[in-house]
Amino acid sequence: GRLSSALDIIRTIRDPEKPNTLEELEVVTESCVEVHEIGEDEYLVIIRFTPTVPHCSLATLIGLCLRIKLQRCLPFRHKLEIYISEGTHSTEEDINKQINDKERVAAAMENPNLREIVEQCVTEPD
Amino acid sequence: QCVTTLEGHENEVKSVAWAPSGTLLATCSRDKSVWVWEVDEEEEYECVSVLNSHTQDVKHVVWHPNQELLASASYDDTVKLYHEEEDDWVCCATLEGHESTVWSMAFDRSGERLASCSDDKTVRIWRRYKPGNEEGVACSGTDPTWKCVCNLSGYHTRTIYDVAWCHLTGALATACGDDAIRVFEESAVFAAALLLLLCHNSPGRAVTLHCSASVLRTSVEAEPSRKKRPRVSFSRHMSLMARAVFPVSFLE
């Protein structure tokens, strides 16, 4: 169903640093996705991911990849919330705030370097 | 015709606002600063102040309705107020209380109250208390204190991006990330959400809403149009707050 759509979209995202997918690195797992109906044919999708290293910028980058790919690929009307799973990062509040602020996300995607990395991480191999 | 381009901000400029006098322009930016510009009779603009009080992106600036008092809303969860003191612009108050980014604010008609809206899904109303006020609210020196007198929580399910305060009717309207516009009217404690309007991209349906007399004094009709978003006609004062919306349900 919707949960597995979301999971299928994020499991193949590549880690920005390592040559592995987020699923392989256990950054995302089945239990990290929540879907709630919030209106007629509209769903709230919540992702709680576990970054591999406690490095701020990488965690934010993974959050950005998750948001971008889900926004582009989810086949149903949705609102999206992305969080670092609790207790896995020292500055998780700051990171969560950034990756859920639409202007911060837009600004990040306007940065050519960040955008390049995101595109590489989210593009499905042929 | 573009008469001038003002440069200086180091990052995206998010908001601009004219002061009631028409001679001052305030701007704010993702570079965390608020700038005040003055325009003279020859239409020459000069930056008269760069205010670096906020610690994060500044989302919005708004002027007091009749005084040269400026308010700014920021990602740092605060609202700051500024005025000119001995030829220098200074931050004269910081409104703390929101638990996340403040996206916007609006003064009421008198300018004695300010409404702020936030990513924390609440709207807070702040009231100005001048030194020597009857209510006994403490002030430091000659500066008024702003105190939060109302917290509208539990009505919005996502970030509230904007708030507008009608100077004619006193009604407060909010723009929310859950696709709804909410209108609040002041009862004794600003408690009731009286109308919930939902914008959808779905095809139109004809709906007629008859709203309770104390709220809108009118009926609101929606009719499907050929465009994706059906048009709704409102009474005179409601049109100050919203256009092209499609009411799906409403609360009375």
Side-chain angles (χ1 to χ4, degrees), chain A residues 55-75:
Chain A
H55 197 296
C56 241
S57 55
L58 276 175
T60 315
L61 202 42
I62 293 175
L64 195 55
C65 291
L66 287 163
R67 179 168 286 277
I68 297 302
K69 195 168 184 204
L70 284 164
Q71 263 170 208
R72 289 181 187 171
C73 303
L74 272 174

Side-chain angles (χ1 to χ4, degrees), chain B residues 10-156:
Chain B
E10 289 165 11
N11 206 322
E12 293 167 11
V13 184
K14 304 311 293 189
S15 176
V16 310
W18 289 104
S21 63
T23 57
L24 295 175
L25 182 68
T27 61
C28 69
S29 162
R30 278 204 58 228
D31 69 7
K32 307 174 194 166
S33 68
V34 170
W35 291 43
V36 181
W37 310 78
E38 194 164 54
V39 57
D40 63 22
E41 308 85 39
E42 277 107 53
E43 290 200 35
E44 295 285 317
Y45 286 79
E46 188 197 344
C47 173
V48 296
S49 187
V50 174
L51 297 150
N52 290 301
S53 307
H54 279 297
T55 56
Q56 295 284 359
D57 317 1
V58 190
K59 300 287 198 187
H60 209 93
V61 282
V62 73
W63 287 96
H64 188 278
N66 44 55
Q67 290 167 7
E68 286 187 348
L69 177 68
L70 180 64
S72 62
S74 169
Y75 185 98
D76 70 10
D77 307 350
T78 70
V79 170
K80 283 181 183 280
L81 298 170
Y82 315 84
H83 64 197
E84 207 174 358
E85 225 170 69
E86 292 171 18
D87 281 340
D88 255 330
W89 281 83
V90 295
C91 173
C92 56
T94 297
L95 309 184
E96 289 171 322
H98 277 299
E99 290 165 13
S100 189
T101 302
V102 187
W103 278 89
S104 189
M105 327 129 284
F107 281 99
D108 72 352
R109 172 178 40 209
S110 67
E112 294 304 313
R113 287 182 302 177
L114 179 70
S116 59
C117 65
S118 167
D119 177 58
D120 69 6
K121 306 171 195 160
T122 71
V123 171
R124 279 164 211 249
I125 313 285
W126 313 79
R127 180 180 276 283
R128 172 165 63 183
Y129 292 92
K130 301 201 164 121
N133 61 80
E134 290 175 349
E135 294 87 348
V137 175
C139 297
S140 63
T142 51
D143 278 337
T145 298
W146 289 78
K147 206 176 131 191
C148 183
V149 295
C150 180
N151 184 353
L152 292 170
S153 78
Y155 297 100
H156 300 83

Side-chain angles (χ1 to χ4, degrees), chain A residues 65-108:
Chain A
C65 291
L66 287 163
R67 179 168 286 277
I68 297 302
K69 195 168 184 204
L70 284 164
Q71 263 170 208
R72 289 181 187 171
C73 303
L74 272 174
F76 49 87
R77 273 170 54 98
H78 62 276
K79 298 288 184 189
L80 194 50
E81 284 172 18
I82 315 249
Y83 301 111
I84 293 196
S85 54
E86 262 180 71
T88 56
H89 205 289
S90 52
T91 58
E92 66 189 50
E93 269 184 39
D94 290 341
I95 295 173
N96 288 335
K97 196 176 175 185
Q98 274 195 74
I99 61 189
N100 289 295
D101 180 306
K102 58 195 321 120
E103 286 183 352
R104 285 279 181 111
V105 169

Side-chain angles (χ1 to χ4, degrees), chain A residues 44-55:
Chain A
L44 171 62
V45 176
I46 305 177
I47 309 289
R48 288 181 220 280
F49 71 99
T50 308
T52 46
V53 288
H55 197 296

Side-chain angles (χ1 to χ4, degrees), chain B residues 185-216:
Chain B
E185 207 173 78
E186 193 173 4
S187 62
V189 288
F190 244 120
L194 295 165
L195 183 67
L196 180 71
L197 306 167
L198 289 161
C199 296
H200 271 290
N201 279 321
S202 47
R205 284 179 261 159
V207 175
T208 304
L209 305 173
H210 295 281
C211 304
S212 66
S214 64
V215 180
L216 289 177

